[in-house]
mmCIF file with all atom_site columns, all heavy atoms in Angstrom:
data_model
loop_
_atom_site.group_PDB
_atom_site.id
_atom_site.type_symbol
_atom_site.label_atom_id
_atom_site.label_alt_id
_atom_site.label_comp_id
_atom_site.label_asym_id
_atom_site.label_entity_id
_atom_site.label_seq_id
_atom_site.pdbx_PDB_ins_code
_atom_site.Cartn_x
_atom_site.Cartn_y
_atom_site.Cartn_z
_atom_site.occupancy
_atom_site.B_iso_or_equiv
_atom_site.pdbx_formal_charge
_atom_site.auth_seq_id
_atom_site.auth_comp_id
_atom_site.auth_asym_id
_atom_site.auth_atom_id
_atom_site.pdbx_PDB_model_num
ATOM 1  N N   . VAL Q 1 7   ? 4.057  5.863  -5.527  1.00 96.00 ? 296 VAL Q N   1
ATOM 2  C CA  . VAL Q 1 7   ? 3.922  6.083  -6.977  1.00 96.00 ? 296 VAL Q CA  1
ATOM 3  C C   . VAL Q 1 7   ? 3.029  7.297  -7.230  1.00 96.00 ? 296 VAL Q C   1
ATOM 4  O O   . VAL Q 1 7   ? 3.345  8.161  -8.055  1.00 96.00 ? 296 VAL Q O   1
ATOM 5  C CB  . VAL Q 1 7   ? 3.370  4.828  -7.691  1.00 96.00 ? 296 VAL Q CB  1
ATOM 6  C CG1 . VAL Q 1 7   ? 2.988  5.140  -9.130  1.00 96.00 ? 296 VAL Q CG1 1
ATOM 7  C CG2 . VAL Q 1 7   ? 4.384  3.702  -7.649  1.00 96.00 ? 296 VAL Q CG2 1
ATOM 8  N N   . ALA Q 1 35  ? -0.802 31.051 -31.415 1.00 76.00 ? 324 ALA Q N   1
ATOM 9  C CA  . ALA Q 1 35  ? -0.417 29.804 -30.753 1.00 76.00 ? 324 ALA Q CA  1
ATOM 10 C C   . ALA Q 1 35  ? -0.594 29.972 -29.251 1.00 76.00 ? 324 ALA Q C   1
ATOM 11 O O   . ALA Q 1 35  ? -0.020 30.865 -28.652 1.00 76.00 ? 324 ALA Q O   1
ATOM 12 C CB  . ALA Q 1 35  ? 1.021  29.438 -31.071 1.00 76.00 ? 324 ALA Q CB  1
ATOM 13 N N   . PHE Q 1 64  ? 13.680 16.966 -15.410 1.00 97.00 ? 353 PHE Q N   1
ATOM 14 C CA  . PHE Q 1 64  ? 13.538 17.332 -14.004 1.00 97.00 ? 353 PHE Q CA  1
ATOM 15 C C   . PHE Q 1 64  ? 12.310 16.676 -13.386 1.00 97.00 ? 353 PHE Q C   1
ATOM 16 O O   . PHE Q 1 64  ? 12.310 16.349 -12.202 1.00 97.00 ? 353 PHE Q O   1
ATOM 17 C CB  . PHE Q 1 64  ? 13.504 18.846 -13.829 1.00 97.00 ? 353 PHE Q CB  1
ATOM 18 C CG  . PHE Q 1 64  ? 14.860 19.472 -13.834 1.00 97.00 ? 353 PHE Q CG  1
ATOM 19 C CD1 . PHE Q 1 64  ? 15.306 20.184 -14.932 1.00 97.00 ? 353 PHE Q CD1 1
ATOM 20 C CD2 . PHE Q 1 64  ? 15.708 19.335 -12.745 1.00 97.00 ? 353 PHE Q CD2 1
ATOM 21 C CE1 . PHE Q 1 64  ? 16.560 20.754 -14.946 1.00 97.00 ? 353 PHE Q CE1 1
ATOM 22 C CE2 . PHE Q 1 64  ? 16.978 19.897 -12.750 1.00 97.00 ? 353 PHE Q CE2 1
ATOM 23 C CZ  . PHE Q 1 64  ? 17.411 20.613 -13.855 1.00 97.00 ? 353 PHE Q CZ  1
ATOM 24 N N   . ALA Q 1 111 ? 16.569 13.920 -29.126 1.00 93.00 ? 400 ALA Q N   1
ATOM 25 C CA  . ALA Q 1 111 ? 17.152 14.578 -27.949 1.00 93.00 ? 400 ALA Q CA  1
ATOM 26 C C   . ALA Q 1 111 ? 16.324 14.271 -26.708 1.00 93.00 ? 400 ALA Q C   1
ATOM 27 O O   . ALA Q 1 111 ? 16.870 14.025 -25.625 1.00 93.00 ? 400 ALA Q O   1
ATOM 28 C CB  . ALA Q 1 111 ? 17.248 16.081 -28.172 1.00 93.00 ? 400 ALA Q CB  1
#
Side-chain angles (χ1 to χ4, degrees):
V296 169
F353 279 106

